Structures are given as C-alpha cells and as structure tokens.
Amino acid sequence: MPEITARTAPLGLAYAPLRQAALAQAREHDLPVSQDDAEGLSLDTYYGRISFLPGAEGLEVEIRAPHAEYLQVLKDTIVAQIAAADPKVADAIRWRDAPTEGRLPANAVIMTVLSVAPLAGGFLRVTLQGDVARFSDTAIHFRLGIPPEGRAARWPRVAQNGATEWPKGEDRLHLPVYTARSVDADRGKLCFDLFEHAAGRATQWARTAQPGQEVLVMAPGGGGCLVSGELRGFADETAFPAIARILETNPEATGRITLYTDAAGAAYPLPDHPQLQIDYAEPERREDMGQDAKAAIADERDIFLWFAGERELATSVRSAWRASGRLPKDAYVSAFWQKI
C-alpha cells in the first residue's frame, strides 16, 4: 500500500529546541531515529514517520503514514507537541494536503449498538455495527467515545490546524480504551468485553445502551496480539480480552501467563491453548503483579514480556525492562487503567 504524505507550511519555530524535544520523546517511547543530520530529524513510530525539516523559509514538518487514519494520528501528535512549546504557533499550523476542516477525523467512525449481554467474570459483551476495515491482529485496541448521559452527541471534528477538535464542557466525551475481542469484517461487526465497574461511566452506558444507539469508535492501533519467543505474561481483568486474543492468535506460542483477579473474575471465558500455561495468582497477591513482572525481567532467561494493568505499575515495569538492557521489541508493557 503506498504511503500518504502531508507537510506543513513553514512554522514560526526554531529548529533546535523542537529537535531536542523530539529526541527526548524518542528516548521515552523507544522510537527509532532514522535520520539526524543537517537535513533534518526523522522518527519512526507505530503510525508512520515524522520528519522535522529546517529550511531557508523556516521549519517544516512532514509526516508519512500507510493510510489516512494513521496520518490523522500523526497530525494530532505534531500539533500537541508544538502546542506544548507555543500554542499560538500550533493554532496557526496549516497542512499542504487537501483541507479536511470540519469533517469527522479520518481515524473516527460512528457505529451503532447491536447488543449488550452479560458475560461470566463480571463483564458485559458489547457488539457494535459499522466500519471495521482497519482492525487486524496487529491493531486490536480502540478508543470508545461515549456522549454525556442525557445530552445529544457531539462528535469531534478536524480543526483548521489539522488536529482533532474534541467537544468540550458539558458535551465532553468519555474516551475509555478497549480491546476488540472479535471482528467480523464481512458483516461489519465489532465485539468487545467491558469489565464492569460499579461507578464507571462506560459501565453505566453499556447497561443502558439500546440497539441502534450511536457511539464513536477511534480507529485501532497501539499494539496487537502477536507475540514471539517464550511468553511471560502478567494481566489483571482489564486485559483478559487481550489475553483471549493472544491465546487464539498464537497457537505455537510457549510460556506462561499469570492472571490477577478474584474468584468471580476467574470465570471469564478464555480459549484453551496447547502450550501456554495459564496461572491465577491468589487474590491477596493482586498487589504483587508489578513485582512478579520485575522478577521475570531479572531472570536471565530470554522472554517476550507482556504486561497490562494499572498505569503506575506499567510505568515501573517498563522502566525495569529498559534498565535491564533488553530490547524494546521483546516486550509489550501497557497501562489499561489508572487509579483515581
């Protein structure tokens, strides 16, 4: 598939500070630097390539992506990064590609509710209808946009600077992230399992959602369910749907996955696997999830680490992986929720 390219008009920013900020982000997120010389700086991301190009008329930014959805993600990233340095410059950004101001962002689609049904383990299984063309085994996570209860939905639009402009104030959307449990491309169906939190906004929405009701789905990205090598996994309930996808998609995988939940959560239906061992930690050891992952990192065995849980735990496990000198490609460490 050919790449799509977008480039800004010259920006009113100095090149050197923006280069330093971009290199700092590359180090933080383990992004490969494919170019850093007098001609400019280029970073390779999951969504495509970002290049910062100094020139006689001023600094320009060029982005390349495999399709329009990822191009929009990169535009949002660039505008946010520049806004951190100078909000006025960020507002004044203009892209040379065709204008899309006022439209729904390319990485967003409106879907409708087909059904919501209870599922063992304290989950609700939600099935949506709509465009699911971009879902794959390498892109299984998506953001759900839920309107405020009792208000007509207002969806995001593309602003003049090319970034996504989200509804604000009383129209602000709730934007939790979920894992596609299954996708039927032929029928345009997306199924995901929502872990019920008694006071959660998404839980309340799912419990009251009616067939035909609209909801926003932001195109998938940010990791898949393919693993390599000896798997060592750690997950709480929020990641059980992703664990299910891993079990289905990697029939030749070997290793062990430890799950942290209570007796009720252990009832969540997981597919059988011929070689991957599934262990359930004792409920009182739930808080040891991060330490258990770090112990696996400290072991000298070659492993593929898969960790998903609370944000602070994920940050600390990611730091331990980096400090060990192991390669970023051999781990998936992600925050699936955050303590309030």
Side-chain angles (χ1 to χ4, degrees), residues 36-181:
D36 185 16
D37 54 30
E39 300 297 319
L41 171 70
S42 293
L43 310 177
D44 291 324
T45 77
Y46 176 88
Y47 299 98
R49 176 168 292 181
I50 302 174
S51 298
F52 300 91
L53 308 170
E57 297 182 7
L59 167 68
E60 296 184 16
V61 180
E62 181 179 85
I63 54 179
R64 295 174 178 269
H67 48 73
E69 289 91 334
Y70 283 6
L71 197 74
Q72 183 62 54
V73 172
L74 293 180
K75 283 185 177 181
D76 289 344
T77 299
I78 291 303
V79 172
Q81 184 175 345
I82 292 175
D86 192 323
K88 291 183 178 179
V89 172
D91 288 342
I93 290 174
R94 297 296 181 266
W95 298 87
R96 299 182 188 273
D97 57 327
T100 55
E101 181 187 353
R103 302 179 188 175
L104 194 70
N107 60 334
V109 62
I110 307 300
M111 301 187 73
T112 56
V113 175
L114 279 180
S115 63
V116 180
L119 185 67
F123 286 77
L124 294 172
R125 176 155 287 179
V126 182
T127 304
L128 304 178
Q129 179 87 55
D131 183 1
V132 296
R134 290 298 175 196
F135 284 86
S136 70
D137 288 338
T138 59
I140 65 172
H141 305 301
F142 65 95
R143 195 173 288 277
L144 195 70
I146 302 173
E149 188 175 0
R151 294 185 66 83
R154 292 191 60 191
W155 306 122
R157 297 292 173 186
V158 176
Q160 282 187 311
N161 62 4
T164 300
E165 186 174 68
W166 292 94
K168 300 179 176 62
E170 294 183 341
D171 294 317
R172 185 175 181 179
L173 301 176
H174 182 48
L175 295 165
V177 175
Y178 290 102
T179 300
R181 180 62 188 86

Side-chain angles (χ1 to χ4, degrees), residues 182-199:
S182 65
V183 177
D184 187 333
D186 293 333
R187 298 182 180 181
K189 291 184 180 180
L190 165 65
C191 173
F192 68 97
D193 297 338
L194 182 153
F195 183 64
E196 292 190 88
H197 295 279

Side-chain angles (χ1 to χ4, degrees), residues 8 35 66 103 156 164 187 212 228 232 248 313 324:
T8 66
Q35 178 185 0
R103 302 179 188 175
T164 300
R187 298 182 180 181
S228 60
R232 192 67 185 90
E248 287 177 342
L313 284 182
S324 74

Side-chain angles (χ1 to χ4, degrees), residues 44 53 144 237 252 298-299 315:
D44 291 324
L53 308 170
L144 195 70
E237 299 95 340
E252 303 300 321
D299 193 326
T315 299

Side-chain angles (χ1 to χ4, degrees), residues 247-258:
L247 295 172
E248 287 177 342
T249 312
N250 301 273
E252 303 300 321
T254 59
R256 182 158 59 100
I257 301 173
T258 305

